[in-house]
Amino acid sequence: MSTNETLFARAQRVIPGGVNSPVRAFRAVGGTPRFIARAEGAFLWDAEGRRYIDYIGSWGPMILGHGHPAVLEAVQKAARDGLSFGAPTEREIELAEAIIAQVPGVEQVRLVSSGTEAGMSALRLARGATGRSKIVKFEGCYHGHADALLVKAGSGLATFGFPTSAGVPAEVVQHTLVLEYNNVAQLDEAFATQGHEIACVMVEPIAGNMNFVRASVSFMKRLRELCSQHGALLVFDEVMTGFRVALGGAQSLYARLIPGFRPDISVFGKVIGGGMPLAAFGGSAEVMRQLAPLGPVYQAGTLSGNPVATACGLATLAEIAKPGFFDALAAKTRSLVDGLVGAARAAGVPLVGDSEGGMFGFFFAAQLPQNYGAVMATDKERFNRFFHAMLDRGVYLAPALYEAGFVSAAHAAADIAATVAAAGEALRG
């Protein structure tokens, strides 16, 4: 039988770093990554047959858990009909309609194959629609690995300590302004001096790539006001939060608190594909008509709207739209976070946490961080020790301080209780 160690050694001979996405390498926490053989419900099994309670959920898509019967049935039927056509299908329309039905600010969407592709395309669309070049992003927010957005991007870059990526010329990012998350004064200054040049502001409404940090209501309200006043587009990156923190995404949460609030362009991924490679970006019909073949902004993709991926996404969205789904998921996630905080308190360890819907985060700190600098000041070494102690006890958390976690509908109360009990042992050890 192959072990995690032998597989990792073999992988490193043929794949850079032995992984196809950097955070999987366990470089941030040390040790050998687990090679997953299969998954079911709330659990993963590695190559050695060991079972783990899964709080990664493929980094967010598996909101129903692994192998949900309705999703498997839809995927199997779609696969029998054909894997890819390179031509339109009715299912693409159905998925677009399902997304639009839940997100009031979106009138049309374009389907793509990854969150990076969706974010890159949304950025190009915003520049094309406004005729401007400058963009604003926030330190610690990750919007995929497109060159113009790969500046102080948190997540995997934070894991390795790089403020940006090699291979990105200075000329490419000269129009990217990077501000501090939740800093209203910096927003005001940027728009006062360069507002007429700013095409868009791209933001994670709840940042999931510096762990879990939510934008304050005052920050989001001012962001919307400034974009409207200066003719810039507000781009919500809901790749992680969309259909995960609420049925209408994070923007529906802010709309309850800020009258008339909605972004101009929204970017979705993960949950809308149900675990298959699928993402989307959308906005008003006026903005979206700038895309080819109607307008001058070019975007295309051979596998966009893939028939198997859209079947998977449709089946997932149908399940999460059932009454009471998000209430139950949010209560379950909150019970996990409350349990972790309680276990830490009992052990005399400073730990804070937060959650929304099925997304959560925790920090070894006295208070919740509001920006990337505060996240970096939390106790990374304690997190690393805690990660391995939990892994040893059969609980699979994200292998980096800078990543949010995810709970699925498949997690039972007993799984949450087992996780909290494991945390108590790990924190006392």
Side-chain angles (χ1 to χ4, degrees):
M1 179 183 75
S2 296
T3 66
N4 293 308
E5 286 79 7
T6 59
L7 287 172
F8 192 39
R10 180 179 162 196
Q12 289 177 87
R13 290 194 290 270
V14 293
I15 301 171
V19 292
N20 285 305
S21 191
V23 75
R24 301 177 191 175
F26 277 35
R27 288 285 185 90
V29 293
T32 301
R34 302 304 187 259
F35 282 71
I36 305 305
R38 67 184 184 91
E40 182 179 344
F43 302 103
L44 302 170
W45 283 263
D46 69 12
E48 299 173 17
R50 181 152 190 203
R51 191 187 79 165
Y52 303 89
I53 304 174
D54 178 23
Y55 290 106
I56 296 180
S58 190
W59 302 101
M62 313 311 297
I63 193 168
L64 301 176
H66 299 279
H68 189 282
V71 175
L72 289 181
E73 181 181 0
V75 168
Q76 289 164 352
K77 182 180 184 303
R80 286 193 296 268
D81 292 337
L83 297 179
S84 182
F85 309 126
T89 68
E90 183 176 3
R91 203 173 293 127
E92 294 173 75
I93 306 170
E94 293 172 345
L95 183 57
E97 290 171 340
I99 295 170
I100 291 166
Q102 302 298 345
V103 188
V106 175
E107 295 176 336
Q108 292 187 339
V109 299
R110 175 65 62 84
L111 302 181
V112 295
S113 298
S114 73
T116 288
E117 189 181 354
M120 174 187 71
S121 301
L123 174 58
R124 185 183 303 152
L125 174 60
R127 282 172 160 163
T130 62
R132 301 174 180 179
S133 298
K134 289 189 182 298
I135 64 168
V136 173
K137 74 173 294 291
F138 299 95
E139 187 176 16
C141 286
Y142 176 70
H143 306 291
H145 57 87
D147 284 2
L149 295 167
L150 210 50
V151 185
K152 296 187 178 180
S155 192
L157 295 176
T159 297
F160 296 114
F162 302 145
T164 187
S165 171
V168 178
E171 297 88 341
V172 174
V173 296
Q174 65 179 321
H175 298 300
T176 303
L177 308 177
V178 183
L179 306 181
E180 185 178 72
Y181 198 71
N182 276 325
N183 190 322
V184 175
Q186 283 191 6
L187 268 184
D188 285 334
E189 182 181 357
F191 273 94
T193 58
Q194 303 181 69
H196 63 290
E197 300 178 79
I198 295 173
C200 70
V201 178
M202 183 172 279
V203 63
E204 286 184 281
I206 300 175
N209 291 282
M210 48 177 160
N211 204 310
F212 183 107
V213 180
R214 63 173 81 223
S216 69
V217 174
S218 59
F219 175 75
M220 194 60 73
K221 183 174 184 292
R222 188 59 178 149
L223 183 50
R224 177 67 277 178
E225 290 170 350
L226 288 168
C227 285
S228 297
Q229 289 170 13
H230 292 269
L233 300 182
L234 176 56
V235 182
F236 251 41
D237 182 346
E238 296 229 47
V239 168
M240 197 170 287
T241 56
F243 300 90
R244 164 56 77 170
V245 300
L247 187 57
Q251 59 193 271
S252 70
L253 304 177
Y254 287 99
R256 297 174 196 168
L257 303 169
I258 306 171
F261 180 86
R262 62 179 54 177
D264 298 299
I265 300 175
S266 299
V267 180
F268 301 104
K270 299 187 186 293
V271 169
I272 66 166
M276 298 287 283
L278 190 147
F281 62 101
S284 68
E286 179 183 3
V287 169
M288 295 301 287
R289 73 167 61 104
Q290 298 296 317
L291 285 173
L294 298 178
V297 178
Y298 191 74
Q299 184 278 327
T302 298
L303 297 177
S304 295
N306 175 269
V308 182
T310 50
C312 188
L314 274 168
T316 299
L317 294 186
E319 292 297 319
I320 69 173
K322 291 179 177 178
F325 179 88
F326 275 94
D327 288 340
L329 182 64
K332 195 179 301 185
T333 309
R334 173 47 58 187
S335 72
L336 171 66
V337 173
D338 288 346
L340 293 176
V341 172
R345 186 182 303 115
V349 175
L351 184 145
V352 290
D354 196 5
S355 70
E356 192 68 61
M359 182 175 169
F360 72 92
F362 61 89
F363 302 89
F364 288 98
Q367 59 186 22
L368 287 169
Q370 297 300 305
N371 54 54
Y372 182 65
V375 170
M376 294 295 286
T378 64
D379 194 337
K380 177 177 179 288
E381 294 308 315
R382 187 183 285 275
F383 172 84
N384 291 351
R385 295 195 301 271
F386 181 70
F387 168 81
H388 279 290
M390 293 295 278
L391 195 65
D392 290 343
R393 289 166 172 80
V395 178
Y396 202 136
L397 300 168
L401 164 65
Y402 312 101
E403 303 286 352
F406 304 97
V407 173
S408 76
H411 284 84
D415 303 323
I416 303 295
T419 302
V420 172
E425 294 176 4
L427 290 165
R428 289 192 300 271

